[in-house]
Amino acid sequence: MMLPRESDVLVVGGGPCGLMLANELGRRGVSVTIVDEKPGTAFNPQANATQARTMEHFRRLGFALEIRKAGLPPDFPTDIAYFTRFARHELGRFKLPSAREATKAVTGLSGAWSAAELPHRVSQKFVEAELRRQAEKLPGVSVNYGWRMVACRDMDDHVEIDVEPSNGGPCETLRGAYLLGADGARSAIRQHLGFRYTGETGIRRDFMGGRMYAIYLRAPAFYEMVPHAPAWMNVSFNQERRAFMAAVDGRGEFAFHTQLRAHEDEERITEDDARAMFQAACGAPIPADVLSRGGWTAGHCLVADHFRKGRIFIGGDAAHLFTPTGGLGYNTAVEDAVNLAWKLAAVLKGQASPQLLDSYELERRPLAVRNTSYARGFADSLGHYAPAAEIEDDSPAGETARAQAGEYLASHGRKEFNIPGITFGGRYDGSPAIVGDGTAPPPDTANNYIPTACPGGRPPHLWIGDGRSLYDVFGFEWTLLCLGAHPPSSDAFSAAAQRLGLSLKVVDLPQQAARDLYEADLALIRPDQIVGWRGSSADAADGILRRLTGWDA
């Protein structure tokens, strides 16, 4: 099989970051070649939570509905439930809506959860498969699994990678203008660039710290043998076998993860041992077929010291490595791609200065530090809270221990999974690709989000009638919102955009509620749906757009 010898952008890594970049660039007419040494998209479930902001980006690209249909049945509850063991005592539960309920509820929400989309619980394996299907529809996008990169070179005016079939065969050289390394935690591209992870690793906890073991299994009898309501996330809390287990398909497939004990050697764990781990967490001999299994390490809070050198960028796990509490790793990877894609496309088309690309690291690295820190806090909250010795006893002391644990764990669940502040509150303050207005954003907190049009963050959302989200009327590239009954003329922005070759959609929002929400007469929205500027006069339109596209950085 011959690969395209030349593309605008080369991507090493066909996971969420690489596939999302291809979807963004392909829709902008930019050619992309992806190579990945794996035989295809993920078989194992991996990440299991798609945050609302990520769903908004999938909506922007036109396939949020396909993602929402994937994974669990539409009426399956997405609760987080805590048990001594899955078939024994339920300790606490944080209730969350099913996919069908979320679709109905979203249009009635305001305040912190005013959004075009709500979170969706779906295994990464299904997301990757859909991202691949969508990318392969696009002209100029070539997705190639089973190809290993063996060398990469920045040639100053272009990049090259040498690739070979993973199962053996002749080497080929591919050429592009830019290269993204989305090749995972052991990224060969990050190592080639000499970048190092910074932060903390090897963090030890009673749970979610150190050696973990993952088992992808099928156990359809689980729902018959467990005397509790189904949940998306099931957490066992006892002194013998601590684990968390996400429902994959709602019919009997699960992603089970357990903390290994000091005497357990992952190299010697057999399939029978793996099955016994699951049954110990259940507290019942529930039959199970093991589909795959293997060890991994929790306790990472790492971010690369740089995200770019010359024409080569890194993103996803190559740039930041999480302990998976909060479900932040894969979602951060998707936003890496969203941020980088419009900038690459604009530079390749001559619509932006190459200096704009400097803003990728300046914007995304602080967000990665922020998000890994939040994930660590959730892991500490869960992992440093140890079960009492009597937690499983049928005694008054046992009942007291279970009540105390249930109160703590239910509170933890709300803090880890009700996170509009993390989901929507990421900001790019201080970036050269933002024109600030001197206002300060609200405090950054995990569990609360105050919508603000302060430049550098997500545009405040509202529903504008007949079931339409404001985001549905944004342009795919740049959008100028004209707010209130008497906004200034947009002509200066339209003319400035035309001179720079930018696609600008002007949207009139005469509702006073929209004007009040944005606290300005005009707001300019970047292609990644970030407020780039707001104000009450279009007089400086040319300078604003030149600043946002790097010409006057």
Side-chain angles (χ1 to χ4, degrees), residues 31 35 86 96 177 194 221 238 240 257 312 323 361 369 379 388 397-398 405 450 459 494 510 512 524 548:
S31 60
V35 294
F86 303 144
L96 287 169
N238 61 74
E240 179 198 2
H257 299 262
I312 304 177
T323 290
E361 177 178 320
V369 172
I450 300 173
S494 296
Q512 186 61 37
L524 187 61
L548 293 172

Side-chain angles (χ1 to χ4, degrees), residues 121-172:
R121 310 306 178 188
V122 56
S123 290
Q124 182 178 320
K125 62 179 293 178
F126 299 126
V127 175
E128 284 190 14
E130 186 60 39
L131 288 174
R132 179 182 183 178
R133 280 192 290 272
Q134 295 292 334
E136 289 178 335
K137 294 178 185 178
L138 301 171
V141 174
S142 177
V143 181
N144 308 277
Y145 291 90
W147 287 84
R148 177 190 302 114
M149 187 200 77
V150 294
C152 64
R153 296 175 293 277
D154 186 337
M155 308 298 288
D156 294 331
D157 63 345
H158 69 280
V159 294
E160 295 177 350
I161 61 173
D162 298 333
V163 297
E164 63 183 15
S166 300
N167 58 2
C171 184
E172 297 186 21

